[in-house]
Amino acid sequence: METYEQSSQQSSGKNNFFIFSFLSVFLGASLSFYATIHHIKLKSAQDTTAAMCNVNSVVSCDKVAQSSYSEFFSIPLGVYGAGFFLALFVLLLWAYGNKVKRKAILTTYGLLVFLGCLGSLVLGLISSFLVKALCLICFGIYLCNFFQGFIFWRNRKDFWEHPFSFQRFIRVSLVVLVVFSFVLASYSLVKPKVGAHEKNFKTRSSKLSTNKVVPNKEPQKKIALATSSYVGNGEDYRKGSDEAKVVIHEFADFECPACQYMSKTLKEIQAELGSKTVLLVFRNFPLDNSCNPNIKIRLHDHACMAAKIARCGGKMGKFWDFHDAIFAKQNKLSEATLREEAAKL
């Protein structure tokens, strides 16, 4: 009777292990897919603040995704996460249906889980101490890894055997290679097509130069243009002729990826049509409530400081030099970077 109860408990424990492992893998893969989609939107300049975990300047998916640590070989870390969890799913499914080789397969699974926990720890430290921002989605993925590590450790007596064998190395390599090839191929179909944007812009520009433009009959709202340093908050920093027929007012934030992309586009427009035709006016609109009353929360730590230094530099005729330098170093923006670039100019 005692032997039967022990066997029943072991069987129940194994079933619980598979249930919790499958749930954890599914949640980790879902969060990884979400992180990848968010990254793609951010890089495509379609979305900058709509992620559900943008709470403030510290808890911000956008800030983490904008950092140089969010990609590896120009591929978002979310793609690697999705591939990793799919590889774990394949191994779990294989082990569940193969009782004869279950222990060997789950040893392979355990090795990958250990690597996942190690990677999560490293990325968590990078996010906390180097990026100085937390992504709730990312930490959800890390928790999935640690939870898998915990439940595997509790069942290690049933599923662990000597891990080092050539056969196991081949098995791990094949599973990881097949799954990651599938994930990377899927990502290549949806990744941002920056070149396509540039091609479309050139096509539109060529049409604009040859086609007859129909005047817009809608009522126009004109934005006042301050050309004197002694009016209001000072002059509006601009590039082009004040007599230009087209005036483009850009409301921008130096930490905003979409603003960085737009600045390049506006340069192309002015280069194509000429500075006598198009006047560019830069309007500081930092996404930070410490200096912008229109923003209710703090999103970008250095946006206000960058705006102030840019306007200060403008009084010395260096606004656009600072503008270009800061947008060029947006991924590494910090107080030290701002002060360094200001000192150079």
Side-chain angles (χ1 to χ4, degrees):
M1 182 70 178
E2 198 170 276
T3 305
Y4 172 76
E5 286 180 355
Q6 288 177 348
S7 176
S8 178
Q9 287 176 356
Q10 286 179 355
S11 177
S12 176
K14 288 178 181 177
N15 287 334
N16 288 337
F17 166 79
F18 278 107
I19 291 171
F20 287 125
S21 295
F22 274 121
L23 287 174
S24 182
V25 165
F26 176 77
L27 180 59
S30 300
L31 291 173
S32 297
F33 280 120
Y34 177 86
T36 302
I37 292 168
H38 169 254
H39 190 98
I40 291 170
K41 287 183 178 179
L42 198 63
K43 293 297 180 180
S44 301
Q46 295 172 359
D47 182 15
T48 53
T49 58
M52 61 183 176
C53 64
N54 286 331
V55 180
N56 51 38
S57 61
V58 177
V59 182
S60 173
C61 288
D62 284 358
K63 191 170 182 179
V64 174
Q66 288 167 15
S67 75
S68 57
Y69 300 101
S70 67
E71 295 183 352
F72 187 64
F73 290 116
S74 299
I75 297 173
L77 292 183
V79 175
Y80 294 101
F84 173 76
F85 285 110
L86 284 175
L88 293 182
F89 176 79
V90 170
L91 288 171
L92 280 173
L93 201 63
W94 188 8
Y96 185 77
N98 193 334
K99 293 183 179 180
V100 177
K101 294 184 178 181
R102 177 175 291 176
K103 199 168 185 178
I105 297 168
L106 287 177
T107 299
T108 303
Y109 168 85
L111 288 172
L112 284 180
V113 167
F114 171 75
L115 291 176
C117 291
L118 184 62
S120 296
L121 181 62
V122 171
L123 290 174
L125 291 173
I126 289 174
S127 179
S128 301
F129 295 103
L130 296 181
V131 181
K132 295 181 180 178
L134 305 178
C135 168
L136 293 180
I137 300 301
C138 303
F139 272 82
I141 294 171
Y142 305 156
L143 286 176
C144 288
N145 282 325
F146 290 132
F147 180 70
Q148 286 179 101
F150 170 73
I151 58 176
F152 184 85
W153 180 257
R154 287 196 62 183
N155 293 273
R156 65 190 183 281
K157 292 181 181 179
D158 297 322
F159 300 140
W160 183 259
E161 62 181 23
H162 194 279
F164 302 106
S165 71
F166 181 73
Q167 186 180 8
R168 184 166 295 113
F169 173 77
I170 295 297
R171 187 186 299 133
V172 171
S173 300
L174 285 175
V175 169
V176 172
L177 181 63
V178 170
V179 173
F180 270 88
S181 297
F182 170 76
V183 173
L184 290 175
S186 301
Y187 171 70
S188 66
L189 298 176
V190 297
K191 67 180 180 180
K193 302 290 192 302
V194 177
H197 291 305
E198 294 174 354
K199 185 177 180 181
N200 290 337
F201 165 72
K202 290 177 180 177
T203 303
R204 290 196 301 271
S205 296
S206 61
K207 287 182 178 179
L208 187 63
S209 61
T210 55
N211 292 354
K212 185 177 180 181
V213 179
V214 179
N216 188 357
K217 295 182 180 179
E218 294 294 323
Q220 300 291 313
K221 289 186 178 181
K222 291 190 176 181
I223 302 174
L225 187 62
T227 57
S228 169
S229 301
Y230 305 100
V231 178
N233 293 321
E235 67 177 304
D236 293 321
Y237 296 108
R238 57 206 184 278
K239 184 184 289 186
S241 171
D242 286 350
E243 306 301 321
K245 294 179 180 179
V246 178
V247 182
I248 301 176
H249 295 262
E250 179 192 13
F251 291 80
D253 174 319
F254 283 110
E255 271 191 90
C256 165
C259 300
Q260 181 194 43
Y261 181 80
M262 177 57 76
S263 70
K264 296 177 182 177
T265 305
L266 292 177
K267 273 187 177 181
E268 291 176 353
I269 291 173
Q270 193 175 54
E272 182 77 24
L273 302 178
S275 59
K276 291 184 178 181
T277 304
V278 177
L279 172 66
L280 301 180
V281 184
F282 190 93
R283 302 281 186 176
N284 290 109
F285 197 87
L287 299 176
D288 184 354
N289 62 355
S290 66
C291 69
N292 188 345
N294 297 290
I295 303 300
K296 302 306 178 186
I297 61 174
R298 188 170 189 180
L299 293 173
H300 293 159
D301 287 337
H302 311 293
C304 283
M305 185 177 180
K308 290 173 183 177
I309 294 178
R311 292 194 60 79
C312 182
K315 294 180 180 179
M316 305 173 196
K318 297 289 184 180
F319 177 85
W320 291 102
D321 297 297
F322 185 79
H323 167 281
D324 294 344
I326 293 306
F327 270 140
K329 293 192 174 182
Q330 190 184 72
N331 289 337
K332 299 179 181 178
L333 206 59
S334 66
E335 184 176 336
T337 306
L338 291 169
R339 292 184 182 279
E340 181 184 342
E341 292 303 318
K344 284 180 184 177
L345 295 170

